[in-house]
Amino acid sequence: MPDLTKLAAPLDVGGVQIRNRVFLAPMSGITDEPFRQRAHAHGAGLVVSEMVASGELAKGRAGCDLRIRHSGLPVHMVQLAGREAAHMAEGARIAAGEGADIIDINMGCPAKKVTGGYAGSALMLDLDHALSLIDAVVGAVEVPVTVKMRLGWDEAALNAPMLAGRAEQAGVRMVTVHGRTRCQFYQGKADWRAIARVKDAVSIPVVANGDVSSPAEAADILDQSGADAVMIGRAHYGAPWIAGGIAAAATGEAAPNIPQDPTALADYVVAHYDDMLALYGVESGLRQARKHLGWYLDRHVGGVADDSRKAILTAFEPARVIALLRDVFSRDPQPLNLRSAA
């Protein structure tokens, strides 16, 4: 396997010390407080809040407070999205006031509901406007500001190196690049070599993102991109320990706190479920947790019956959901799918 030792080293981001170089990506509706706490406990170097709409945050919309709330972790990083400089600045001030140590600007989300509002990766279509948002956020807070982007809008506009260079000049302290264009969404294979052009354009740390789920892939993306760190997103579905497992592999150690048998995994899933109900309340928590329960079942339970799966994902009584989960895991004859944990 290629050398992974670089990933075990700490990283300085504008004076904020990050314990290692394997990060949990911000994922809307996924990387909430319970998920981030688990990823950190497993050894992820940095965890990022799910995307927060700056306009809604600035207007005090319900639910935004939960997304920016400090979870007690050593580094609290909040990602903001938006297209209005005033809202981005005010959102950054609010997040910093809630204890954010780093503010990340989303210029990479490909979702139509985001790009349709000229936010996320749509900002890469107008770099002058993108820089106006960066200037607003950098000018609003004392904490480091970072940017997450894609390679460009499409193959005809691969302008990530230009955006990264201008962002650095504006005071951004780190950039993360997903190795796809917006028009690719998540199709095809991420172009890890293209990220190297961003690395060549800046002197600040560059984080490579896209299609990493194992130590070998983490080593390959670093080798091909020359990046300083790696960020991992969708591989965490049903496995909050993936980043920690890769960070541990860089030192030859085992990642901490990973459940090692079906009974331990059942306890883990139930605890995650309980934490989500406590955060959101039972009514909302039941809905929010279903995708996580589905991923745990898909990843770790071999051949769960359709009726059992449906009952777990549709029941409205938490006690029934928990009983069904424990029953399914106790009957699962398959070994756990703990990819990248070793």
Side-chain angles (χ1 to χ4, degrees):
M1 183 186 297
D3 185 18
L4 277 170
T5 55
K6 176 180 180 178
L7 293 174
L11 181 67
D12 183 286
V13 179
V16 177
Q17 295 298 311
I18 311 302
R19 63 179 177 176
N20 66 54
R21 301 179 181 219
V22 189
F23 304 161
L24 170 69
M27 293 180 281
S28 184
I30 299 168
T31 55
D32 57 13
E33 184 176 310
F35 200 95
R36 297 196 307 273
Q37 288 176 327
R38 279 162 176 76
H40 179 268
H42 297 307
L46 182 66
V47 299
V48 190
S49 79
E50 53 187 318
M51 178 180 66
V52 184
S54 60
E56 294 185 1
L57 180 59
K59 295 173 183 176
R61 293 283 174 84
C64 289
D65 56 331
L66 295 181
R67 295 191 173 201
I68 66 168
R69 187 174 76 177
H70 201 300
S71 57
L73 300 179
V75 178
H76 182 42
M77 185 170 179
V78 172
Q79 187 186 72
L80 296 178
R83 65 179 299 269
E84 300 291 341
H87 288 161
M88 290 292 287
E90 180 61 16
R93 282 190 287 267
I94 293 170
E98 291 295 322
D101 300 292
I102 303 173
I103 303 291
D104 186 62
I105 302 175
N106 184 316
M107 296 190 176
C109 180
K112 291 182 180 179
K113 67 179 181 180
V114 176
T115 59
Y118 300 101
S121 55
L123 293 168
M124 300 191 76
L125 291 168
D126 185 347
L127 296 194
D128 289 340
H129 182 61
L131 264 292
S132 74
L133 303 186
I134 291 172
D135 287 336
V137 174
V138 170
V141 295
E142 298 295 326
V143 301
V145 175
T146 64
V147 175
K148 189 171 190 291
M149 64 185 72
R150 288 198 164 216
L151 297 176
W153 179 260
D154 56 26
E155 291 295 327
L158 301 177
N159 56 0
M162 183 178 296
L163 174 56
R166 292 183 66 180
E168 180 181 19
Q169 293 175 359
V172 162
R173 310 305 291 271
M174 182 176 76
V175 295
T176 299
V177 185
H178 183 107
R180 288 182 175 88
T181 66
R182 183 273 173 181
C183 289
Q184 285 180 277
F185 285 85
Y186 295 99
Q187 312 234 328
K189 182 75 172 65
D191 187 348
W192 296 342
R193 295 189 185 280
I195 300 172
R197 293 194 286 272
V198 178
K199 177 61 180 172
D200 291 342
V202 298
S203 60
I204 55 177
V206 173
V207 184
N209 174 226
D211 293 346
V212 174
S213 62
S214 70
E217 289 166 344
D220 285 344
I221 197 173
L222 288 181
D223 181 60
Q224 294 183 35
S225 68
D228 303 280
V230 61
M231 180 174 279
I232 303 166
R234 292 169 296 151
H236 285 96
Y237 291 1
W241 49 79
I242 292 294
I246 292 172
T251 63
E253 300 174 356
N257 306 313
I258 297 178
Q260 296 298 328
D261 60 68
T263 299
L265 183 56
D267 290 341
Y268 183 97
V269 174
V270 169
H272 190 173
Y273 181 67
D274 284 341
D275 285 350
M276 293 191 71
L277 298 186
L279 178 67
Y280 296 110
V282 172
E283 182 177 354
S284 178
L286 282 167
R287 297 193 304 271
Q288 300 272 6
R290 283 171 180 159
K291 55 182 171 289
H292 294 283
L293 298 183
W295 291 326
Y296 283 124
L297 294 173
D298 291 343
R299 192 160 192 151
H300 305 293
V301 180
V304 60
D306 289 344
D307 57 345
S308 294
R309 178 188 174 86
K310 181 178 180 180
I312 290 169
L313 300 184
T314 59
F316 287 98
E317 303 81 20
R320 175 165 168 73
V321 173
I322 291 170
L324 289 167
L325 284 169
R326 292 196 182 281
D327 180 62
V328 165
F329 281 106
S330 70
R331 290 186 286 110
D332 175 29
Q334 304 297 318
L336 299 187
N337 182 4
L338 300 175
R339 186 180 181 190
S340 93

